[in-house]
Amino acid sequence: MSQSYIENDAFARLLGIRLVESRDDFALCEMQLTDDHLNGLGTPHGAVIFAIADVALATACNTRNVSIGMQAEVRYFSKPQGGQLLAEASLVSASRKIGHYQVHLRDAKQTLVAQVNATIYRLAEKAES
């Protein structure tokens, strides 16, 4: 389901975000940074960094459940070096309806660029296919 989820995400396509790996409650996404992703200082825009984190989160939390985001907090640590950004989202803990995820964002040199802590609400379990 996560592959079809991200394929249906028009904003992810617009930004050039690609799904690398997906399994239950986990997703790894990547994007190649271009000049269109830069802010006025010439570095990747914080909104772009958050966007790939949000796409990875949404992909991970929708692997087994139909879920929506409730809250997200982003911490920026360093500016990305190189032309690639990776976002790895994974489940930290969960109850029946609430899930807590963490997303680590790394650049091409594997430097930690940012971290997102998020809470999601599970609307429903997915039907078996």
Side-chain angles (χ1 to χ4, degrees):
M1 174 61 180
S2 10
Q3 183 64 37
S4 63
Y5 175 86
I6 199 165
E7 287 171 352
N8 292 326
D9 190 323
F11 189 61
R13 272 195 316 277
L14 177 70
L15 291 175
I17 298 171
R18 186 178 77 81
L19 180 63
V20 175
E21 182 182 350
S22 175
R23 57 184 184 272
D24 286 352
D25 298 309
F26 174 88
L28 175 63
C29 295
E30 73 171 354
M31 70 184 299
Q32 298 302 313
L33 297 170
T34 69
D35 289 346
D36 291 333
H37 299 125
L38 304 181
N39 62 23
L41 298 174
T43 60
H45 202 290
V48 170
I49 295 169
F50 183 79
I52 186 175
D54 190 52
V55 170
L57 168 68
T59 304
C61 73
N62 280 285
T63 55
R64 294 189 298 154
N65 301 284
V66 178
S67 305
I68 57 170
M70 292 175 55
Q71 175 275 337
E73 172 202 33
V74 62
R75 292 183 184 206
Y76 299 99
F77 300 121
S78 63
K79 67 180 179 180
Q81 303 292 316
Q84 183 183 50
L85 196 56
L86 297 161
E88 184 176 294
S90 58
L91 180 68
V92 175
S93 68
S95 66
R96 190 173 65 79
K97 287 291 193 180
I98 304 294
H100 301 282
Y101 285 77
Q102 202 165 66
V103 185
H104 292 102
L105 295 110
R106 298 186 188 281
D107 63 16
K109 296 181 178 184
Q110 293 300 305
T111 302
L112 186 62
V113 171
Q115 179 177 302
V116 173
N117 294 305
T119 304
I120 60 93
Y121 182 77
R122 294 179 173 155
L123 297 171
E125 287 191 30
K126 291 190 176 169
E128 294 292 322
S129 2

